[in-house]
């Protein structure tokens, strides 16, 4: 994968500061990712994708996470929407939509203003109108929503929950949100007003489909944390070797060395975990992986700022951005508390 990505990684690196400053998605970056085939990494070849493994997707996301976490989460969220179809959709749905997902930006929408962790409480309703469903309600905190052309949406139906593939259209009122971290990933809220969706564009048993999708996407999301942590360590080492205090380079102080050593060891453990979890996608291991990714990324960013001193706290400093980006690992794709619930449920199962 790494031979495929330098062009995209370099472009993403060049755009990172501006995307963070303006909190706007970058259309050129997204177009380049599609042109390189990197928006269909796990989509089977017969549907126009690269047909690669989740592990390969993690490698791409790790590289992007190092330079531009906002863009990395966009690519990850797009694949989450595609994976939802590929893992749970009928043959007909895959044939209709997966080739489209290799050309059009997608978003995956479950969270609502009144329900995030507790998805059984979502209110967005899909009304059965015979040959179609009609969607009414709200979604919020949706990555890619600023420019996405297709949305995979969780809704409540008469007989439970379903996922719906919805093309951006007139009945959707999209409002840009001002993100705190991973900026430039097009975070929005959406109001659905009588949006008609053909029956064939739905996946029944929606909650199960969301869980299947999260099990594979959590190691991918964790790879962003891995990238953030690696970048923080690189920056901290470089700075510690240059900066002098009390007549010495600060890298000569044991206090600094120990901080670097701990972060390096945590990163090594996380890397092994991300890549082994991406191979199994076991639900409990995926939850463990995301929990550890959040801790590792936050600690690496915290240590990097500590080593940079006051300069690291300035708005626009790479380590300050990393600090805001790292916190998102605790929240996106299920909070750290929910990860612990999943792990505990696995431990206590009879
Ligand atoms: C940058 C960003 C991007 C996102 N992108 C997307 C996206 O593309 N699509 C999408 O659908 N959503 C997205 N989200 C939303 C995200 O998935 C939710 O924020 C998350 O699932 C938590 O839901 P909530 O914010 O409603 O918090 P709540 O569920 O209201 O939780 C609030 C607090 O209560 C805690 N809590 C809740 N239940 C329990 C419990 N049983 N035990 C212990 N503690 C509990 C939580 O851990 C948290 O600390 C994104 C969020 C962010 C920040």
């Amino acid at each position: 994968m790494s031979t495929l990505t330098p062009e995209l990684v370099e472009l993403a690196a060049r755009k990172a500061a501006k995307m963070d400053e303006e909190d706007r998605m970058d259309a050129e970056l997204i177009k380049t990712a599609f042109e390189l085939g990197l928006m269909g990494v796990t989509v089977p070849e017969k549907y126009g994708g690269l047909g690669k493994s989740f592990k390969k997707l993690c490698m791409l996301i790790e590289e992007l996470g190092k330079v531009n976490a906002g863009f990395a989460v966009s690519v990850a969220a797009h694949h989450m929407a595609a994976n939802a179809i590929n893992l749970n959709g009928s043959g007909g749905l895959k044939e209709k939509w997966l080739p489209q997902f290799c050309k059009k930006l997608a978003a995956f929408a479950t969270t609502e203003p009144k329900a995030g962790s507790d998805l059984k409480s979502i209110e967005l309703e899909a009304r059965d109108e015979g040959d179609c469903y009609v969607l009414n309600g709200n979604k919020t905190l949706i990555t890619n929503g600023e420019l996405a052309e297709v949305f995979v949406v969780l809704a409540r139906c008469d007989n439970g929950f379903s996922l719906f593939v919805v093309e951006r259209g007139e009945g959707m009122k999209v409002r840009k949100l001002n993100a705190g971290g991973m900026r430039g990933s097009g975070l929005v809220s959406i109001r659905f007003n009588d949006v008609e969706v053909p029956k064939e564009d739905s996946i029944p048993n929606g909650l199960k489909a969301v869980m299947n999708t999260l099990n594979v996407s959590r190691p991918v999301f964790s790879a962003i944390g891995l990238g953030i942590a690696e970048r923080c360590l690189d920056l901290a080492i470089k700075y510690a070797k240059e900066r002098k205090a009390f007549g010495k380079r600060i890298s000569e102080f044991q206090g600094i060395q120990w901080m670097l050593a701990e972060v390096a060891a945590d990163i090594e453990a996380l890397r092994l975990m991300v890549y082994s979890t991406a191979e199994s996608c076991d639900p409990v291991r995926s939850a463990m992986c995301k929990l550890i990714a959040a801790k590792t990324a936050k600690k690496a960013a915290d240590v990097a700022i500590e080593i940079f001193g006051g300069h690291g706290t300035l708005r626009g400093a790479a380590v300050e951005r990393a600090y805001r980006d790292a916190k998102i690992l605790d929240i996106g794709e299920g909070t750290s508390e929910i990860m612990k619930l999943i792990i505990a449920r696995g431990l206590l199962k009879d």
Side-chain angles (χ1 to χ4, degrees):
M1 178 65 65
S2 57
T3 54
L4 288 173
T5 54
E7 185 184 341
L8 188 66
V9 173
E10 279 163 28
L11 190 62
R14 279 208 303 278
K15 306 263 187 186
K18 187 164 183 269
M19 283 169 65
D20 181 57
E21 198 181 315
E22 297 175 357
D23 192 23
R24 286 280 162 205
M25 295 189 87
D26 189 285
E28 185 197 1
L29 196 45
I30 293 163
K31 187 165 167 269
T32 306
F34 275 109
E35 283 168 358
L36 292 169
L38 297 173
M39 295 301 263
V41 174
T42 52
V43 173
E45 283 174 284
K46 66 175 174 174
Y47 300 122
L50 296 183
K52 304 278 187 200
S53 64
F54 296 118
K55 191 172 168 185
K56 289 279 185 196
L57 178 58
C58 286
M59 289 177 183
L60 168 66
I61 296 294
E62 178 187 353
E63 286 189 52
L64 293 175
K66 272 185 210 166
V67 297
N68 186 335
F71 182 59
V73 76
S74 277
V75 177
H78 173 83
H79 280 90
M80 197 177 174
N83 290 333
I85 307 297
N86 195 33
L87 294 170
N88 306 294
S90 64
L93 196 78
K94 290 185 205 183
E95 254 170 53
K96 178 173 175 187
W97 285 106
L98 287 179
Q100 301 278 326
F101 279 61
C102 297
K103 295 180 198 136
K104 293 177 177 174
L105 186 69
F108 187 76
T110 62
T111 306
E112 298 189 357
K114 292 189 197 159
S117 308
D118 178 14
L119 287 180
K120 283 189 183 148
S121 299
I122 61 159
E123 292 176 350
L124 192 141
E125 181 202 31
R127 202 173 62 240
D128 190 337
E129 290 281 338
D131 57 346
C132 71
Y133 283 96
V134 176
L135 269 50
N136 278 291
N138 295 288
K139 292 290 173 193
T140 193
L141 291 163
I142 307 305
T143 301
N144 286 348
E146 186 185 342
L147 295 180
E149 293 179 73
V150 196
F151 295 77
V152 176
V153 180
L154 181 69
R156 168 181 291 280
C157 315
D158 280 349
N159 54 355
F161 297 88
S162 290
L163 283 177
F164 293 88
V165 189
V166 185
E167 284 197 82
R168 194 181 193 110
E170 277 184 7
M172 292 166 64
K173 195 161 175 241
V174 178
R175 188 172 63 84
K176 177 77 183 55
L177 300 173
N178 186 7
M182 297 188 184
R183 283 160 66 83
S185 56
L187 204 66
V188 302
S189 65
I190 311 167
R191 166 90 201 144
F192 291 78
N193 273 323
D194 286 334
V195 174
E196 285 188 15
V197 186
K199 278 220 159 137
E200 68 264 23
D201 290 344
S202 65
I203 298 175
N205 213 346
L207 288 181
K208 179 94 175 56
V210 169
M211 295 312 146
N212 288 342
T213 308
L214 284 167
N215 292 338
V216 305
S217 70
R218 281 182 181 138
V220 177
F221 192 54
S222 302
I224 306 176
L226 178 59
I228 292 172
E230 288 167 336
R231 170 90 164 143
C232 286
L233 181 62
D234 289 349
L235 291 169
I237 290 172
K238 185 167 181 289
Y239 190 81
K241 283 176 164 174
E242 288 165 5
R243 179 75 174 178
K244 286 189 179 156
F246 300 97
K248 286 180 176 179
R249 295 181 197 288
I250 61 169
S251 60
E252 291 174 53
F253 298 128
Q254 199 176 48
I256 299 283
Q257 291 171 1
W258 285 13
M259 285 196 267
L260 294 171
E262 273 200 30
V263 169
D266 287 348
I267 288 174
E268 199 57 31
L270 176 61
R271 189 179 300 114
L272 292 171
M273 199 170 192
V274 165
Y275 289 107
S276 68
T277 308
E279 281 178 342
S280 73
C281 294
D282 169 76
V284 173
R285 288 187 56 104
S286 289
M288 287 176 171
C289 185
K290 200 182 87 74
L291 182 68
I292 300 298
K295 283 188 185 179
T296 306
K298 283 189 300 178
K299 181 166 160 189
D302 190 43
V303 161
I305 293 190
E306 198 67 26
I307 289 175
F308 272 72
H311 307 281
T313 67
L314 297 178
R315 193 82 180 178
V319 292
E320 181 270 343
R321 186 172 84 228
Y323 194 79
R324 284 181 283 113
D325 291 342
K327 181 59 194 172
I328 304 300
L329 267 295
D330 258 336
I331 311 287
E333 302 203 8
T335 65
S336 288
E337 289 70 41
I338 298 300
M339 295 309 101
K340 289 178 205 172
L341 286 185
I342 295 169
I343 298 163
R345 217 180 287 139
L347 292 175
L348 301 171
K349 197 165 69 180
D350 286 328

